[in-house]
Amino acid sequence: MHNQWSNRLVFVLAAAGSAVGLGNIWKFPYITGEYGGGAFVLVYLACIALIGLPVMMAEILLGRRMRLSPINAMAKAASEASAPGGWALVGWMGVLTGFLILSFYSVVAGWAIAYTVQAASGDFAGLTGESSGAAFGALVGSPEQVLLWHTVFMLMTGVVVAKGVRGGLERLVSWLMPMLFAMLVFLVGYAVAEGDFARGVRYLFNVNFDAVFWQTNAEGVRTFTVEPLLAAMGHAFFTLSLGMGAIMVYGSYMPKQASIGSSVLMIGVADTLVALLAGLAIFPLVFANGLEPSAGPGLVFVSLPIAFGNMTGGVVFGTLFFLLLVFAAWTSAISLIEPAVAWLVENQNFSRHKATAWVAGIAWLLGISSGLSFNILPADTFSIAGMSIFDFKDYLTSNILLPLGGMLIALFVGWVVSRQFSESELSLRNPAVFSAWWFAIRYIAPTGVALVMLHKLGWL
Ligand code: TRP
């Protein structure tokens, strides 16, 4: 009943468009900064390869086999396997997670729109580490500004989703992703020339497990901390758009004859490359300008404008960069609500327009509280579990809901549906690749997530 992607390349672009987003350019550098660099990056890469890519294959194969929104795909696959209908809850949890993510994602994407305008107006000229930090503070400190741009971004997202798979999503991603990539390469070039490149590289790739995983308290007692592991694993899910059905619903629009294995490889490589390039563009500037890698969510918004403000052609390049960042966020945001929209179309007989209006409207409402976290409702005024609303939503989704969803999908595909089900849908040419995937989906992914979570809960 839904449309399909025109061809495999479009599917890969759309899935890569979903994967590559604020997670790569905004979040990856700042959490790497918060968790101390190299060792965190290495664990993150391991999570991508061992857990992320196998789970992505599982999501796509389920979606394509069932050709339904994640909630109904899970329900139907469960009933075909004579398993409890409760598996559909994984789809419901995904819908909830999508709402929660979009409700803070849209706020950050809104900052990027505001920065596009500032860049174009020449506001970055002559920025220093200090004045750039102050400018960011002024933006996020203004509830009117933040809510205005949040609203603009949500409208943009709604318009594309309402237009549907072909007319909306496809057209947008096909030309934006390559441009973003080129822009990042250019910025890495700038970081080589003008930043402290050697220090940036060392920070990203110098693996020191001690510094990342062991905390020393005032008495000199060292304790192991699982928090960086949890964050790295959670981010692997976040950056690949896994664990909530976004990739599953994209898979449900995928042509039958296209290869799932090689598509996943391309998506994974593109996503990882963009994250690493973003790190290589940003950390050299952070160090060269006396900023702190652990600056938090403002890291990218403070460091890059300094570069643009001090290079020739910075107005053009700065505008282009933030514009592309908005586009990257845009192609990701649409995938966050597509599962909910597809379900409303399937089950409630909503038109795509009506379904989108509802879903984007709810996400917009939820997003207001995220936008206020930086001004009228900071953590010391209103907090959940010691975090601001924004941080809480981010933590809850990335570190808990996405890994949990991913683990359940892995268990479902690995243990509930038959091996034949996956084998025929993946139709991998090399049997060894299938065996490796099968092992990863049955054992590595579920136990990896479970171990980290149980340790976090203090049960291990
Ligand atoms: N992957 C996107 C990013 O890195 C965000 C995103 C889009 C996402 N769809 C998702 C995250 C689904 C989790 C689940 O910016």
Side-chain angles (χ1 to χ4, degrees), residues 17-25 97-98 101 105 235 237-247 271 328-329 331-336 402:
S18 165
V20 174
L22 297 173
N24 306 62
I25 298 166
T97 310
I101 296 179
Y105 204 83
H235 187 64
F237 282 101
F238 185 89
T239 192
L240 292 173
S241 302
L242 298 176
M244 55 74 65
I247 293 293
D271 187 73
T331 58
S332 298
I334 54 184
S335 73
L336 283 164
L402 294 177

Side-chain angles (χ1 to χ4, degrees), residues 55 58 404-416 440-442 445-446:
V55 169
L404 197 62
M407 179 176 83
L408 291 171
I409 291 167
L411 288 172
F412 185 71
V413 171
W415 297 90
V416 176
I441 209 71
R442 298 192 92 187

Side-chain angles (χ1 to χ4, degrees), residues 73-114:
M74 292 298 293
K76 182 155 172 249
S79 104
E80 282 178 7
S82 317
W87 281 102
L89 286 175
V90 176
W92 282 107
M93 191 173 88
V95 165
L96 172 73
T97 310
F99 274 122
L100 288 175
I101 296 179
L102 185 56
S103 80
F104 69 84
Y105 204 83
S106 168
V107 168
V108 180
W111 299 344
I113 305 179

Side-chain angles (χ1 to χ4, degrees), residues 289-313:
N289 290 289
L291 303 170
E292 284 299 323
S294 58
L299 186 69
V300 174
F301 291 97
V302 175
S303 59
L304 289 183
I306 304 173
F308 294 124
N310 294 292
M311 67 169 77
T312 32

